[in-house]
Amino acid sequence: MNKTYQVKAKDNLQVEVHTWTKGEVYEVVEKSDYMTLASNQGCLNYVLTIKEQVLGEFEVLEGQQ
């Protein structure tokens, strides 16, 4: 089952061609072994083993994580 929630960027961020704007809200969808994080240019997939590191750059909204 997929888990969907929202996060807010703590700062302006950039990874390769993907960017996130400070204060903007983005969607995260967790699957069984990876998560998809929306960006200004589309979305990016991350393995769940680095979830805490990636989400450390965001404020998780709605009390989910």
Side-chain angles (χ1 to χ4, degrees):
M1 185 168 130
N2 298 340
K3 180 177 173 184
T4 303
Y5 52 94
Q6 294 182 326
V7 295
K8 184 174 13 174
K10 292 179 181 177
D11 290 302
N12 290 328
L13 305 166
Q14 182 173 358
V15 176
E16 305 264 338
V17 299
H18 293 274
T19 61
W20 295 267
T21 305
K22 180 178 181 176
E24 291 295 317
V25 175
Y26 300 92
E27 183 175 80
V28 175
V29 178
E30 284 189 34
K31 309 269 183 164
S32 61
D33 59 347
Y34 71 97
M35 68 181 201
T36 301
L37 172 61
S39 75
N40 294 327
Q41 289 71 29
C43 60
L44 209 56
N45 293 331
Y46 290 99
V47 292
L48 289 179
T49 55
I50 63 169
K51 171 185 168 181
E52 287 185 31
Q53 182 180 356
V54 172
L55 293 183
E57 301 294 329
F58 297 86
E59 176 187 342
V60 178
L61 304 177
E62 302 174 21
Q64 299 182 2
Q65 185 173 0

